[in-house]
Amino acid sequence: MKKHIILSIIVIGLCSCQEQIGLPHKGTSSIEPCSVEIDTLLIPMELSSGYGNYYMKDYTITFVDAVTCVFYDFDLKGNLINQYFRKGNGKNEIPSLLYSYPIENDPLHRSVIIDNSNGICVFDRRSKEILSRKIANFGWTEKASQTYKSTYLYNFSFFTDFGVSFYLDSDSTLIFQANIVNRNTKSPEDVESDRYTDGAIFGKLDLNTMKVVDVFGHFPEIYKVSPTPHLEFFQYAIEGDRMYVNHTVDSLIYVYQLPDKPLYTIGYECKDIDRDYTVSRKIDNSTLFEKDLQHVGFNTGLRFIPGSDVLCRTYIKSAKNGESGMQIYKGHDLVADVDVPSFFNFLGYSDGYYYGSSYIPIENDESTTIAIYRLKIKVNNLAL
């Protein structure tokens, strides 16, 4: 698990485009000096590994322990208010997990758990009851076409340490981040000519049958010009009928009419970020990860503040030291770009505060501690 986390503090490739070919760019950069007040809550976790993922829903921060399969709910002051599930094969137990996240726009308050065999559990966050358990079907056992429009070529996102997101589409299928399975392509060791022109980045999963029914979405121009097959992960957010996509190697944020009609870009380069990525048409992900891990930075998160037009993008300036920043956009305009704690994971906003966690726990020989951050950001003494 530690090895997995170390590889998670990894990299991203490529040089940032200033403008996507054929798409208008909206917004301005009107940054004003900001002050950031940081409160740090250090929470001892005696029986936890400290490794897993976090999310924030309904004024509750949840830590999902990927080793013990225990979920911990904290209030916004860091008090433990509930813990549930555990590793096992019983009715409300989980044999293993990679990560768990809520379905953001689900009126039924469901969350999804995914394990390393593509097993999927869906549970009710209110009752803490597991509702279903099935294996996702990408069509790997069927005779399938090796085109980039076939679900056969895809899997759930491989790189998940910066988080994933789930949304329901209008037809109640589950939208998820997808990755190309290189071994299923015609040329597993090379970037094929149509990988970045025809390749998809999202999938849609029928929650009743657990069959992947569609793949969609687009790689931006930056991958075609400077391929980085080891750095194809991204974050996204949906607001109304718009989808915002934040590729880890790119300064731009891409805006689509759902499901994937390109509309325009927004976004400006992150402050002091190192984007000297390794460009390659050869697929050698571990070697290239290892090389880039020594220095580069990358985009790590994208999240709207509910009920507003405020969009937050987080980034790590350099993997070497974990220095991090957060951009704040109002509408299309960049209004702030502030320093935040190293390896900062933005979770959500409540009552004037930006909440986050650290991607890495604090460990010594006797204990494990997780860090929760609460930030107050001000411009001209007014809360942003």
Side-chain angles (χ1 to χ4, degrees):
M1 177 60 64
K2 289 184 182 180
K3 183 178 180 182
H4 177 244
I5 295 297
I6 290 172
L7 277 180
S8 348
I9 295 176
I10 10 193
V11 245
I12 303 174
L14 210 31
C15 287
S16 297
C17 286
Q18 201 67 13
E19 182 174 311
Q20 171 75 0
I21 294 175
L23 287 181
H25 186 79
K26 294 189 176 184
T28 63
S29 177
S30 52
I31 297 175
E32 295 191 40
C34 296
S35 64
V36 182
E37 301 171 5
I38 301 173
D39 294 330
T40 303
L41 304 173
L42 297 178
I43 305 173
M45 302 289 287
E46 294 182 1
L47 301 178
S48 171
S49 72
Y51 291 96
N53 70 267
Y54 299 80
Y55 58 81
M56 178 173 161
K57 271 289 189 185
D58 305 321
Y59 308 101
T60 299
I61 294 173
T62 299
F63 170 64
V64 179
D65 192 313
V67 177
T68 65
C69 300
V70 176
F71 287 52
Y72 300 87
D73 285 348
F74 299 93
D75 66 20
L76 298 184
K77 295 181 179 179
N79 300 307
L80 180 65
I81 54 177
N82 203 353
Q83 91 180 51
Y84 45 98
F85 302 146
R86 62 181 181 180
K87 184 183 287 289
N89 294 296
K91 179 182 177 183
N92 235 32
E93 295 178 332
I94 305 166
S96 67
L97 68 79
L98 286 176
Y99 54 85
S100 177
Y101 287 93
I103 304 174
E104 295 290 346
N105 59 342
D106 184 14
L108 300 179
H109 305 278
R110 291 172 295 180
S111 285
V112 175
I113 302 169
I114 294 184
D115 67 25
N116 54 12
S117 300
N118 280 356
I120 297 181
C121 291
V122 178
F123 75 92
D124 185 324
R125 290 195 309 278
R126 296 163 303 179
S127 67
K128 319 302 183 191
E129 179 184 358
I130 293 176
L131 305 174
S132 66
R133 303 175 191 259
K134 291 182 181 177
I135 303 294
N137 177 11
F138 283 84
W140 295 341
T141 60
E142 304 164 6
K143 291 184 178 180
S145 163
Q146 286 180 299
T147 72
Y148 283 99
K149 302 304 181 186
S150 169
T151 63
Y152 170 78
L153 260 61
Y154 298 89
N155 196 357
F156 295 112
S157 179
F158 305 141
F159 189 98
T160 62
D161 292 60
F162 298 145
V164 302
S165 298
F166 297 115
Y167 287 84
L168 291 181
D169 200 0
S170 57
D171 58 2
S172 295
T173 53
L174 186 75
I175 297 173
F176 64 89
Q177 288 128 300
N179 268 138
I180 295 168
V181 180
N182 294 315
R183 67 176 181 273
N184 289 356
T185 65
K186 294 176 183 176
S187 301
E189 297 179 358
D190 300 287
V191 174
E192 297 173 311
S193 60
D194 54 351
R195 182 184 185 98
Y196 295 132
T197 56
D198 297 344
I201 60 174
F202 291 102
K204 289 175 65 174
L205 179 73
D206 185 317
L207 287 172
N208 294 316
T209 65
M210 289 301 169
K211 181 177 176 62
V212 179
V213 295
D214 191 19
V215 289
F216 65 99
H218 311 282
F219 284 97
E221 188 71 21
I222 192 168
Y223 284 99
K224 302 168 191 174
V225 175
S226 305
T228 49
H230 58 301
L231 299 172
E232 293 176 351
F233 48 96
F234 63 95
Q235 305 86 39
Y236 75 106
I238 293 177
E239 185 72 8
D241 63 351
R242 297 287 193 269
M243 176 185 283
Y244 297 72
V245 182
N246 180 44
H247 293 272
T248 199
V249 299
D250 203 333
S251 64
L252 299 176
I253 298 169
Y254 296 82
V255 184
Y256 299 87
Q257 175 86 41
L258 284 170
D260 61 358
K261 178 185 176 182
L263 296 177
Y264 53 87
T265 62
I266 64 172
Y268 292 87
E269 185 57 282
C270 304
K271 183 175 63 177
D272 299 330
I273 193 169
D274 181 347
R275 292 201 189 272
D276 186 16
Y277 305 116
T278 302
V279 175
S280 175
R281 298 199 70 85
K282 286 289 182 183
I283 295 175
D284 186 3
N285 287 353
S286 353
T287 302
L288 298 179
F289 269 142
E290 187 74 22
K291 179 180 178 181
D292 280 354
L293 179 58
Q294 305 307 311
H295 63 92
V296 304
F298 34 89
N299 307 334
T300 59
L302 192 70
R303 184 175 298 278
F304 272 99
I305 293 177
S308 76
D309 64 348
V310 176
L311 178 66
C312 299
R313 171 164 67 172
T314 50
Y315 59 95
I316 291 177
K317 300 178 183 183
S318 170
K320 185 175 182 179
N321 55 28
E323 289 184 359
S324 300
M326 184 167 70
Q327 294 184 326
I328 300 176
Y329 291 85
K330 282 191 173 183
H332 303 134
D333 301 329
L334 175 63
V335 297
D337 193 337
V338 299
D339 292 336
V340 293
S342 294
F343 300 115
F344 180 75
N345 173 25
F346 177 51
L347 299 175
Y349 177 92
S350 178
D351 196 24
Y353 289 95
Y354 298 79
Y355 289 85
S357 64
S358 173
Y359 287 113
I360 306 170
I362 302 166
E363 296 182 290
N364 58 40
D365 293 338
E366 298 179 354
S367 65
T368 298
T369 300
I370 61 173
I372 301 295
Y373 302 108
R374 188 176 73 166
L375 280 58
K376 174 78 79 173
I377 302 174
K378 294 181 179 180
V379 178
N380 297 325
N381 291 320
L382 296 176
L384 185 61

